[in-house]
Amino acid sequence: MMRGATMRRAGPFRALVIFAATAAVAAPAPVAAQDANFLLPIAEIERVLREGDIQVLGVQPSRGLPGERTYRVTLQSGDHVLGVKYAPAGEGADEFNNRPRYELAAYDTQALFLDEREMVVPPTAIRAFPLDVVRATVAQAGDAGAAIPPEPTFDEWPMTLVALQYWMFNVDVPEELPDDDRIEEDEVYERLLGNFNLLTYIIGHSDSNEGNFMQSMDPAWPRVFSVDNGVSFASEESNRGTEWRDLQLDRYPAAAIDRLRGVSLEELQARFGVLVQFEIRDGNFVEVEPTENLDPGRGVRRDAERIQLGLTESEIRAMHRRIVRLIERVDEGRYELIP
């Protein structure tokens, strides 16, 4: 069994987190499913991801290629079978395209202007697992597993931080993004795509690699999801394109813009300065209520018994500048609003 952080942190959608069901193991029929892409209500996904005892049922590379750094892991917790993207952190938890704090910050950012039904980043969480548990999990991928076994995130402790993301149903890589013809014909699609683009713009998403964005196959609610947000904020750019770092559309939802108008720098500092904090309890790291920011100039902070992950002061200011610039452009008439 895998044991990790206790649910303490109050996240954006009642402490949303990252997980998803996969086809690797047949999942039970949805119970009170939220929509076509989530087999359980978000609150129940959160509970499992944040505090559930977890049994690993199956492991394979996320994209089916040997030596990947992320895995599609099928988990069981109580009566629930869930699939997750399982991404062990590297040494120091702050490497290019492997910064768990960016994944969690992207997930939290959407709550600034979207409701749960509109979310475009799947539930995401960070947990601290013993190193031997992480190595045993990755080893289940067999010859397709990691070329180098996971290492301790920090040399002084035999544990690894792992980013977890819900693996959704009924989604596929979009054939065309944006689909200009559909924008003209389907205002629901246009609205949902606008939400997606606002998120990628605010976080400075800088990796348009195929597979980082997924399209819901639900014709009545065709959301576009951003499922890999590790190259965002102050990250170096990917060589696969950065177009979704910018505003790509002519119109954006008025409701989302109105909510962003009320976002202050002080609110962003309070919400993103410390995204998650772990402390040693009985020899294991568990999630606790965040305390004062240990060092606003660093994204990964630790002392003798604590680990904090958050955005740096400069990353938060850059996010605020992007929001201010967006509102200015709307007020100048450069973008229309969808009522």
Side-chain angles (χ1 to χ4, degrees), residues 220-239:
W221 200 244
R223 276 181 291 182
V224 178
F225 293 94
S226 184
V227 299
D228 190 332
N229 301 290
V231 183
S232 300
F233 299 101
S235 175
E236 305 92 319
E237 296 179 358
S238 164
N239 61 1

Side-chain angles (χ1 to χ4, degrees), residues 101 269 273-274 292-301 308 310-316:
R101 63 192 183 92
Q269 290 169 334
V274 183
E292 183 178 357
N293 195 323
L294 296 174
D295 185 351
R298 300 177 63 88
V300 180
R301 315 138 198 156
Q308 284 183 350
L311 295 184
T312 66
E313 187 172 35
S314 63
E315 289 166 348
I316 294 170

